Amino acid sequence: MSDRADERSRVLGGLVCLAALVAGALFLYGVLSGAYWALAIPVTIGTIFVIGLVAWIGWTIATVQVEAQGEPLGQSGGPSAPTRVEPATNEASKGQA
């Protein structure tokens, strides 16, 4: 990265830290003063975030397109193919028969 990009990243990181400190101070002030909004706002934001995340995951699963590889299972082997048991051909089974 260039020096300008490094500086921009540091400034943005500092702003994020500052915003987190301000949000934490507002939360503590609200909780200590017994304000309803101090708990309602973070819970609402968290709930909306989780619902959005679940919706995004569902959308991703619903719209992904995967090409199957190999042969279909029903044509050559696989769970739906009939199973044939081969007779034993070792020397011990020949002598006992």
Side-chain angles (χ1 to χ4, degrees):
M1 285 189 355
S2 67
D3 290 333
R4 185 172 186 212
D6 288 341
E7 184 63 27
R8 183 169 184 240
S9 294
R10 286 192 182 101
V11 169
L12 287 175
L15 290 174
V16 169
C17 288
L18 183 62
L21 286 173
V22 169
L26 286 173
F27 178 74
L28 282 176
Y29 172 75
V31 169
L32 293 176
S33 67
Y36 164 77
W37 61 264
L39 295 176
I41 291 174
V43 169
T44 301
I45 290 171
T47 302
I48 291 171
F49 175 78
V50 169
I51 289 171
L53 184 63
V54 170
W56 176 71
I57 291 171
W59 178 260
T60 302
I61 292 171
T63 59
V64 70
Q65 294 180 1
V66 179
E67 287 190 31
Q69 297 177 354
E71 300 176 14
L73 293 177
Q75 291 182 358
S76 63
S80 62
T83 304
R84 190 174 78 187
V85 178
E86 297 290 331
T89 57
N90 61 16
E91 295 298 322
S93 65
K94 287 182 183 177
Q96 292 177 359

